[in-house]
Amino acid sequence: SIYDDLVPNRGVILIPTREGEHGRFNFKCDQGATYGMTQLLYSDAIVGFLRNFAAETDHRPEILLSFGFVPKVETNVGLINWLIQDRGNAAVAGEQEFVKQLAATEPAEKRKLMVDLYKRVIDGVGELGFPLSIHLEATYGVSTPAFATFAEMLAYWSPDKP
């Protein structure tokens, strides 16, 4: 609260699969959070989370939806798997399986899988009244397949489109 007048945008990391996240996010919004940045999304769990949140609260912070490209090297390194881990959480286990599938898939099919996920998320949250932004991450660095995937995602929807 010391910096409320100096920093107009205050946010929180939003992890839709985390136990108790609805209450945590609501508390943060009550305290003045103006945006929520999602963890890297490898499922459409954010859709149900935000649908429930919108039905139960009046808060409509900006939601920064994060998507990360999964290159083949993930199979050997496991950085993304480590970033999204939550032992015993079935929703996260499903996301980890999806990451594993993406890592083992050729670029054209990987792009299709990621664009399909992106469309489900955008279509699912687009009408809930939250301002939306997009964060795209090439976790292992710049690559042509990553940027081809991101370009196709943004061709479907980007924040500058209605």
Side-chain angles (χ1 to χ4, degrees):
S1 65
I2 295 170
Y3 303 104
D4 283 355
D5 294 333
L6 298 174
V7 182
N9 298 306
R10 294 170 305 284
V12 60
I13 298 298
L14 177 56
I15 303 175
T17 55
R18 179 167 48 187
E19 187 175 332
E21 189 69 357
H22 185 280
R24 181 181 174 280
F25 190 50
N26 189 58
F27 172 79
K28 293 289 188 172
C29 289
D30 284 345
Q31 302 308 306
T34 59
Y35 71 91
M37 179 178 173
T38 69
Q39 71 177 62
L40 292 174
L41 299 174
Y42 294 106
S43 76
D44 58 6
I46 191 67
V47 175
F49 177 89
L50 288 176
R51 187 175 294 127
N52 291 340
F53 191 79
E56 297 173 13
T57 74
D58 292 329
H59 295 298
R60 293 301 180 272
E62 183 172 356
I63 303 297
L64 181 58
L65 299 166
S66 299
F67 296 89
F69 184 77
V70 181
K72 196 170 289 285
V73 71
E74 171 68 15
T75 302
N76 298 324
V77 177
L79 174 62
I80 297 169
N81 182 60
W82 177 80
L83 287 170
I84 64 172
Q85 70 182 317
D86 186 2
R87 295 190 200 292
N89 185 328
V92 173
E95 290 181 345
Q96 289 175 308
E97 276 304 309
F98 185 59
V99 167
K100 187 177 179 179
Q101 177 188 2
L102 289 170
T105 303
E106 292 304 315
E109 180 62 19
K110 184 183 318 220
R111 184 168 37 258
K112 180 186 178 317
L113 291 168
M114 280 301 301
V115 171
D116 287 349
L117 170 62
Y118 184 79
K119 288 177 178 181
R120 287 194 317 273
V121 170
I122 294 299
D123 293 348
V125 301
E127 302 297 321
L128 297 176
F130 296 95
L132 298 178
S133 295
I134 302 297
H135 166 242
L136 303 173
E137 187 169 317
T139 309
Y140 289 92
V142 177
S143 72
T144 299
F147 281 85
T149 300
F150 296 157
E152 193 168 329
M153 292 162 80
L154 292 172
Y156 182 75
W157 184 86
S158 63
D160 65 339
K161 295 181 181 179

